[in-house]
Amino acid sequence: MSKVAILTDSNSGITQAQAEQMGVTVIPMPFFIDGVEYLEDINLSQEEFYEKLNNDADISTSQPSIGTLQDYFDKLLKDNDEVVFIPMSSGLSGTCQTATMVAGDYDGKVQVVNNQRISVTMRQSSIYITLETLKYLKKGGRITPAAAAIGTMLKLNPVLQIQGEKLDAYAKARGKASAKKIMLKAMKEDMEKRFADYADTGRMHIEVAYTGNVEEAKEWAEAVKEAFPQFDFHMDPLSLSVACHIGYGSLAIATSAYVPEAE
């Protein structure tokens, strides 16, 4: 039986410490902050990132270079027969396409999987997110300045979802409390329809994700656990690539079905 190495990037939400425990390898994603390159979870922590974000630093995301991908593939193939690389969705970054191109030089020993996910959705299959501010969607060109101004004036909190390649609008709420109710209702509908076969037998994982505000996330976690007490639960921060585009104070709820390993 061939020995296969699993490779992903820090957009998965898997930290370097967790990767070591899990037996996988994580490529740290690069960021440019005021012109200086940082690597997620190497020389850029969650706390440092939000401090710079809240101080209006000029932050942009990037992707691993071709040379970086080759270095990881070469290193892993020294001790393994094959590499399976699971990057973030091809609809959100060029990493998947670049890696697929590079993998062509490895005679089938490197396989790139486009699972159309990012952050906790790379482990959880349905997610709804609400934002504290429209500032970063406007900055990233996801919405127009006029739409952001109107949304801010009306105190709108959009609810977004990822169920395909990209982040899509799901609903608009007047205030965060309303947004939370919409997310809980949406997740309950998923349990009743999309995941009914698994939910009826308790084979679901439920998760809370957030950007920066841990205390608010803990309160949200209690509401989610109260709504879904029958399911396995855990909480994780969203990856910094997501946070860069949606800002501090976002909250999310995610779920996935539990499929036992074959005997």
Short mmCIF file of all heavy atoms in Angstrom, two decimals, residues 7-16 25-31 39-42 46 64 85-88 118-120 122 237-242:
data_model
loop_
_atom_site.label_atom_id
_atom_site.label_comp_id
_atom_site.label_asym_id
_atom_site.label_seq_id
_atom_site.Cartn_x
_atom_site.Cartn_y
_atom_site.Cartn_z
N LEU A 7 -1.72 17.36 2.45
CA LEU A 7 -1.24 18.74 2.51
C LEU A 7 -2.41 19.69 2.33
O LEU A 7 -3.28 19.47 1.48
CB LEU A 7 -0.20 18.96 1.39
CG LEU A 7 0.36 20.37 1.21
CD1 LEU A 7 1.20 20.78 2.41
CD2 LEU A 7 1.20 20.43 -0.08
N THR A 8 -2.47 20.74 3.13
CA THR A 8 -3.47 21.79 2.95
C THR A 8 -2.79 23.12 3.21
O THR A 8 -1.56 23.18 3.28
CB THR A 8 -4.69 21.56 3.87
OG1 THR A 8 -5.70 22.54 3.57
CG2 THR A 8 -4.33 21.65 5.34
N ASP A 9 -3.57 24.19 3.31
CA ASP A 9 -2.98 25.48 3.67
C ASP A 9 -3.71 26.06 4.87
O ASP A 9 -4.71 25.50 5.32
CB ASP A 9 -2.98 26.46 2.48
CG ASP A 9 -4.37 26.70 1.90
OD1 ASP A 9 -5.29 26.97 2.70
OD2 ASP A 9 -4.53 26.64 0.68
N SER A 10 -3.20 27.15 5.41
CA SER A 10 -3.77 27.67 6.65
C SER A 10 -5.17 28.25 6.47
O SER A 10 -5.85 28.55 7.44
CB SER A 10 -2.84 28.74 7.26
OG SER A 10 -2.61 29.81 6.35
N ASN A 11 -5.64 28.35 5.20
CA ASN A 11 -7.03 28.72 4.98
C ASN A 11 -7.98 27.66 5.53
O ASN A 11 -9.17 27.91 5.70
CB ASN A 11 -7.30 28.91 3.48
CG ASN A 11 -6.73 30.20 2.97
OD1 ASN A 11 -6.93 31.25 3.55
ND2 ASN A 11 -5.99 30.14 1.87
N SER A 12 -7.48 26.46 5.77
CA SER A 12 -8.30 25.39 6.33
C SER A 12 -8.70 25.67 7.78
O SER A 12 -9.59 25.01 8.31
CB SER A 12 -7.55 24.07 6.27
OG SER A 12 -6.39 24.13 7.11
N GLY A 13 -8.00 26.62 8.41
CA GLY A 13 -8.24 26.86 9.83
C GLY A 13 -7.46 25.93 10.73
O GLY A 13 -7.55 26.02 11.95
N ILE A 14 -6.69 25.04 10.15
CA ILE A 14 -5.86 24.11 10.92
C ILE A 14 -4.55 24.81 11.27
O ILE A 14 -3.82 25.25 10.38
CB ILE A 14 -5.58 22.82 10.13
CG1 ILE A 14 -6.89 22.10 9.80
CG2 ILE A 14 -4.66 21.90 10.92
CD1 ILE A 14 -6.72 20.92 8.89
N THR A 15 -4.25 24.92 12.56
CA THR A 15 -3.01 25.57 12.98
C THR A 15 -1.83 24.63 12.79
O THR A 15 -2.00 23.42 12.59
CB THR A 15 -3.09 26.00 14.45
OG1 THR A 15 -3.14 24.81 15.28
CG2 THR A 15 -4.32 26.86 14.73
N GLN A 16 -0.62 25.18 12.91
CA GLN A 16 0.57 24.35 12.79
C GLN A 16 0.62 23.30 13.89
O GLN A 16 1.01 22.15 13.65
CB GLN A 16 1.83 25.23 12.83
CG GLN A 16 1.96 26.21 11.67
CD GLN A 16 2.14 25.53 10.33
OE1 GLN A 16 2.76 24.47 10.23
NE2 GLN A 16 1.61 26.14 9.28
N THR A 25 0.20 18.31 6.83
CA THR A 25 1.09 19.45 6.66
C THR A 25 0.29 20.66 6.20
O THR A 25 -0.58 20.53 5.33
CB THR A 25 2.18 19.14 5.62
OG1 THR A 25 2.92 17.99 6.06
CG2 THR A 25 3.14 20.31 5.45
N VAL A 26 0.57 21.82 6.77
CA VAL A 26 -0.17 23.05 6.46
C VAL A 26 0.79 24.11 5.93
O VAL A 26 1.76 24.47 6.58
CB VAL A 26 -0.89 23.58 7.71
CG1 VAL A 26 -1.53 24.94 7.42
CG2 VAL A 26 -1.97 22.60 8.17
N ILE A 27 0.52 24.59 4.72
CA ILE A 27 1.28 25.70 4.15
C ILE A 27 0.76 27.01 4.73
O ILE A 27 -0.44 27.29 4.60
CB ILE A 27 1.15 25.75 2.61
CG1 ILE A 27 1.64 24.45 1.99
CG2 ILE A 27 1.92 26.95 2.05
CD1 ILE A 27 1.44 24.38 0.48
N PRO A 28 1.57 27.82 5.38
CA PRO A 28 1.08 29.10 5.92
C PRO A 28 0.80 30.08 4.78
O PRO A 28 1.64 30.28 3.91
CB PRO A 28 2.24 29.57 6.81
CG PRO A 28 3.45 28.93 6.23
CD PRO A 28 3.00 27.60 5.68
N MET A 29 -0.38 30.70 4.80
CA MET A 29 -0.73 31.65 3.75
C MET A 29 -0.04 32.98 3.97
O MET A 29 0.06 33.46 5.10
CB MET A 29 -2.24 31.84 3.70
CG MET A 29 -3.00 30.61 3.24
SD MET A 29 -2.54 30.05 1.59
CE MET A 29 -3.22 31.36 0.58
N PRO A 30 0.45 33.60 2.89
CA PRO A 30 1.12 34.89 3.02
C PRO A 30 0.15 36.07 3.01
O PRO A 30 -0.87 36.04 2.32
CB PRO A 30 2.01 34.93 1.77
CG PRO A 30 1.32 34.07 0.77
CD PRO A 30 0.54 33.03 1.54
N PHE A 31 0.47 37.08 3.79
CA PHE A 31 -0.27 38.34 3.84
C PHE A 31 0.73 39.48 3.67
O PHE A 31 1.87 39.37 4.11
CB PHE A 31 -0.97 38.52 5.19
CG PHE A 31 -2.15 37.61 5.40
CD1 PHE A 31 -1.96 36.29 5.77
CD2 PHE A 31 -3.44 38.07 5.23
CE1 PHE A 31 -3.03 35.45 5.96
CE2 PHE A 31 -4.52 37.24 5.43
CZ PHE A 31 -4.32 35.93 5.79
N LEU A 39 3.45 35.48 7.40
CA LEU A 39 2.90 34.14 7.17
C LEU A 39 1.99 33.77 8.32
O LEU A 39 2.39 33.85 9.49
CB LEU A 39 4.04 33.12 7.04
CG LEU A 39 4.99 33.32 5.85
CD1 LEU A 39 6.12 32.30 5.92
CD2 LEU A 39 4.25 33.21 4.53
N GLU A 40 0.76 33.36 7.99
CA GLU A 40 -0.23 33.04 9.01
C GLU A 40 0.26 31.94 9.94
O GLU A 40 0.72 30.89 9.49
CB GLU A 40 -1.55 32.62 8.35
CG GLU A 40 -2.66 32.33 9.33
CD GLU A 40 -4.01 32.13 8.67
OE1 GLU A 40 -4.10 32.14 7.42
OE2 GLU A 40 -5.00 31.96 9.41
N ASP A 41 0.15 32.20 11.25
CA ASP A 41 0.50 31.25 12.30
C ASP A 41 2.00 30.95 12.37
O ASP A 41 2.42 30.05 13.09
CB ASP A 41 -0.29 29.94 12.13
CG ASP A 41 -0.38 29.13 13.41
OD1 ASP A 41 -0.38 29.75 14.49
OD2 ASP A 41 -0.44 27.89 13.34
N ILE A 42 2.81 31.72 11.61
CA ILE A 42 4.26 31.61 11.71
C ILE A 42 4.80 32.87 12.38
O ILE A 42 5.34 32.82 13.48
CB ILE A 42 4.92 31.40 10.33
CG1 ILE A 42 4.40 30.12 9.67
CG2 ILE A 42 6.45 31.34 10.47
CD1 ILE A 42 4.72 28.84 10.43
N GLN A 46 -3.40 35.42 15.34
CA GLN A 46 -4.74 36.00 15.26
C GLN A 46 -4.78 37.36 15.95
O GLN A 46 -5.31 38.33 15.41
CB GLN A 46 -5.75 35.05 15.91
CG GLN A 46 -6.01 33.76 15.16
CD GLN A 46 -7.25 33.83 14.29
OE1 GLN A 46 -8.20 34.53 14.62
NE2 GLN A 46 -7.25 33.09 13.19
N PRO A 64 0.57 31.13 -2.01
CA PRO A 64 1.92 30.57 -2.06
C PRO A 64 2.49 30.63 -3.48
O PRO A 64 1.76 30.41 -4.46
CB PRO A 64 1.71 29.12 -1.61
CG PRO A 64 0.42 29.12 -0.86
CD PRO A 64 -0.43 30.15 -1.52
N PHE A 85 -3.12 17.33 -2.07
CA PHE A 85 -3.15 18.73 -1.63
C PHE A 85 -4.58 19.26 -1.71
O PHE A 85 -5.22 19.21 -2.75
CB PHE A 85 -2.23 19.57 -2.51
CG PHE A 85 -2.21 21.05 -2.15
CD1 PHE A 85 -2.20 21.47 -0.83
CD2 PHE A 85 -2.19 22.01 -3.15
CE1 PHE A 85 -2.17 22.82 -0.51
CE2 PHE A 85 -2.16 23.37 -2.84
CZ PHE A 85 -2.15 23.77 -1.51
N ILE A 86 -5.09 19.77 -0.57
CA ILE A 86 -6.45 20.29 -0.49
C ILE A 86 -6.38 21.78 -0.15
O ILE A 86 -6.35 22.16 1.02
CB ILE A 86 -7.28 19.54 0.57
CG1 ILE A 86 -7.16 18.02 0.37
CG2 ILE A 86 -8.75 19.97 0.50
CD1 ILE A 86 -7.80 17.21 1.46
N PRO A 87 -6.34 22.65 -1.16
CA PRO A 87 -6.28 24.09 -0.90
C PRO A 87 -7.68 24.67 -0.76
O PRO A 87 -8.68 23.94 -0.84
CB PRO A 87 -5.60 24.63 -2.16
CG PRO A 87 -6.08 23.70 -3.24
CD PRO A 87 -6.24 22.34 -2.59
N MET A 88 -7.76 26.00 -0.59
CA MET A 88 -9.05 26.67 -0.54
C MET A 88 -9.71 26.63 -1.91
O MET A 88 -9.09 26.32 -2.91
CB MET A 88 -8.88 28.11 -0.08
CG MET A 88 -8.10 28.99 -1.05
SD MET A 88 -7.75 30.63 -0.40
CE MET A 88 -9.37 31.37 -0.40
N ILE A 118 -13.51 26.88 2.14
CA ILE A 118 -12.46 27.66 2.79
C ILE A 118 -12.72 27.67 4.29
O ILE A 118 -13.87 27.56 4.74
CB ILE A 118 -12.42 29.12 2.26
CG1 ILE A 118 -11.24 29.89 2.89
CG2 ILE A 118 -13.72 29.83 2.49
CD1 ILE A 118 -11.02 31.27 2.33
N SER A 119 -11.64 27.78 5.06
CA SER A 119 -11.69 27.89 6.52
C SER A 119 -12.45 26.71 7.12
O SER A 119 -12.25 25.58 6.69
CB SER A 119 -12.30 29.24 6.94
OG SER A 119 -12.05 29.49 8.31
N VAL A 120 -13.33 26.95 8.10
CA VAL A 120 -13.99 25.83 8.77
C VAL A 120 -14.86 25.03 7.83
O VAL A 120 -15.19 23.88 8.10
CB VAL A 120 -14.83 26.31 9.98
CG1 VAL A 120 -13.94 26.92 11.03
CG2 VAL A 120 -15.91 27.29 9.55
N MET A 122 -13.90 23.81 5.14
CA MET A 122 -13.09 22.73 4.61
C MET A 122 -13.21 21.50 5.49
O MET A 122 -12.85 20.39 5.10
CB MET A 122 -11.63 23.16 4.48
CG MET A 122 -11.43 24.20 3.39
SD MET A 122 -9.75 24.83 3.24
CE MET A 122 -8.92 23.43 2.48
N PRO A 237 -11.76 29.81 15.39
CA PRO A 237 -11.70 31.10 14.68
C PRO A 237 -11.68 30.87 13.18
O PRO A 237 -11.17 29.85 12.70
CB PRO A 237 -10.38 31.70 15.17
CG PRO A 237 -9.54 30.52 15.52
CD PRO A 237 -10.49 29.47 16.05
N LEU A 238 -12.26 31.79 12.42
CA LEU A 238 -12.16 31.72 10.97
C LEU A 238 -10.72 32.06 10.55
O LEU A 238 -10.03 32.81 11.24
CB LEU A 238 -13.13 32.71 10.33
CG LEU A 238 -14.61 32.27 10.35
CD1 LEU A 238 -15.53 33.45 10.12
CD2 LEU A 238 -14.86 31.18 9.32
N SER A 239 -10.29 31.51 9.43
CA SER A 239 -8.93 31.77 8.97
C SER A 239 -8.77 33.25 8.63
O SER A 239 -9.74 33.95 8.32
CB SER A 239 -8.60 30.91 7.74
OG SER A 239 -9.38 31.30 6.65
N LEU A 240 -7.53 33.72 8.67
CA LEU A 240 -7.27 35.15 8.48
C LEU A 240 -7.59 35.62 7.06
O LEU A 240 -7.90 36.79 6.84
CB LEU A 240 -5.82 35.46 8.83
CG LEU A 240 -5.43 35.19 10.29
CD1 LEU A 240 -4.00 35.64 10.55
CD2 LEU A 240 -6.38 35.88 11.26
N SER A 241 -7.51 34.72 6.08
CA SER A 241 -7.87 35.11 4.72
C SER A 241 -9.34 35.49 4.63
O SER A 241 -9.72 36.39 3.88
CB SER A 241 -7.59 33.96 3.74
OG SER A 241 -6.21 33.76 3.59
N VAL A 242 -10.18 34.82 5.41
CA VAL A 242 -11.60 35.18 5.48
C VAL A 242 -11.76 36.47 6.25
O VAL A 242 -12.47 37.40 5.83
CB VAL A 242 -12.42 34.05 6.14
CG1 VAL A 242 -13.87 34.47 6.28
CG2 VAL A 242 -12.33 32.77 5.32
#
